[in-house]
């Protein structure tokens, strides 16, 4: 019994140690509402690319038609990161490993942006995405803007205030 308890404790400790909460949104301009029926639905610039093999979570919030599948690509249409499955009403999520090339090493992506495709490519149903989040880790968190978006907003306000002061 003591050995079984020790094994269970080791297993539990291993599971707890593998939890990795990210939180930082790695995508710029990720709260721009997009509505269309396109196959290549949207793109978001990546601020800090994960390394190959990093645990990542990509969450898409919106209204996706039931006949569409959310596919996520790294920077081009040749390196698929994964497929986001519906986890609740209006929320689609992929959790897995970051990749910047196909398994055979071909078609190296430049990690500059995420492309969201809605398959199949011949569907004409209208879809809407309100926000997207790419984060490192194994536990998803609520949407937040990328720090770079916040910095840009502060810079815009500062610039507007300076302009106002000079008029």
């Amino acid at each position: 019994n003591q050995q079984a308890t020790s094994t269970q404790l080791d297993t539990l400790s291993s599971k707890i140690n593998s939890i990795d909460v990210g939180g930082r949104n790695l995508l710029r301009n990720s709260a721009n509402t997009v509505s269309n029926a396109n196959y290549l639905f949207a793109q978001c610039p990546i601020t800090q690319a994960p390394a190959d093999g990093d645990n990542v979570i990509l969450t898409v919030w919106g209204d996706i038609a039931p006949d569409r599948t959310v596919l996520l690509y790294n920077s081009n249409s040749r390196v698929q990161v994964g497929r986001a499955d519906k986890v609740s009403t209006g929320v689609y999520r992929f959790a897995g490993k970051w990749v910047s090339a196909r398994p055979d090493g071909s078609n190296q992506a430049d990690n500059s942006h995420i492309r969201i495709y809605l398959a199949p490519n011949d569907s004409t149903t209208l879809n809407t995405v309100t926000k997207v989040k790419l984060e490192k880790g194994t536990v998803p968190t609520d949407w937040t803007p990328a720090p770079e978006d916040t910095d840009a907003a502060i810079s815009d306000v500062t610039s507007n205030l300076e302009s106002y002061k000079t008029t």
Side-chain angles (χ1 to χ4, degrees):
N1 251 355
Q2 189 135 11
Q3 186 175 6
T5 302
S6 177
T7 301
Q8 290 172 334
L9 183 58
D10 288 346
T11 301
L12 181 58
S13 292
S14 174
K15 287 182 179 181
I16 290 171
N17 290 337
S18 69
I19 294 173
D20 182 13
V21 179
R24 184 199 195 288
N25 193 347
L26 301 174
L27 299 177
R28 294 274 324 250
N29 308 320
S30 62
N32 296 332
T33 298
V34 176
S35 292
N36 64 50
N38 300 341
Y39 174 55
L40 172 51
F41 185 78
Q43 299 183 89
C44 288
I46 297 173
T47 61
Q48 296 178 0
D52 276 358
D54 279 356
N55 289 315
V56 295
I57 298 170
L58 203 142
T59 307
V60 176
W61 287 267
D63 184 21
I64 308 297
D67 70 322
R68 303 302 281 271
T69 301
V70 181
L71 302 175
L72 308 163
Y73 283 80
N74 179 351
S75 305
N76 62 37
S77 57
R78 296 181 184 96
V79 180
Q80 184 176 347
V81 175
R83 182 185 79 213
D85 296 316
K86 186 174 186 175
V87 294
S88 64
T89 302
V91 181
Y92 303 80
R93 184 169 292 133
F94 163 77
K97 302 288 186 184
W98 183 255
V99 294
S100 61
R102 288 186 173 174
D104 66 2
S106 65
N107 296 309
Q108 185 72 31
D110 66 8
N111 293 319
S112 63
H113 59 278
I114 281 287
R115 283 186 170 189
I116 301 170
Y117 286 86
L118 298 180
N121 63 359
D122 60 351
S123 179
T124 58
T125 53
L126 182 66
N127 303 276
T128 300
V129 168
T130 57
K131 52 191 173 185
V132 181
K133 184 174 187 179
L134 172 65
E135 57 191 314
K136 292 181 186 178
T138 59
V139 178
T141 60
D142 291 339
W143 182 87
T144 55
E148 294 81 358
D149 287 337
T150 303
D151 293 345
I154 291 170
S155 179
D156 288 347
V157 168
T158 302
S159 176
N160 287 341
L161 286 174
E162 290 298 323
S163 175
Y164 178 75
K165 284 170 46 177
T166 60
T167 57

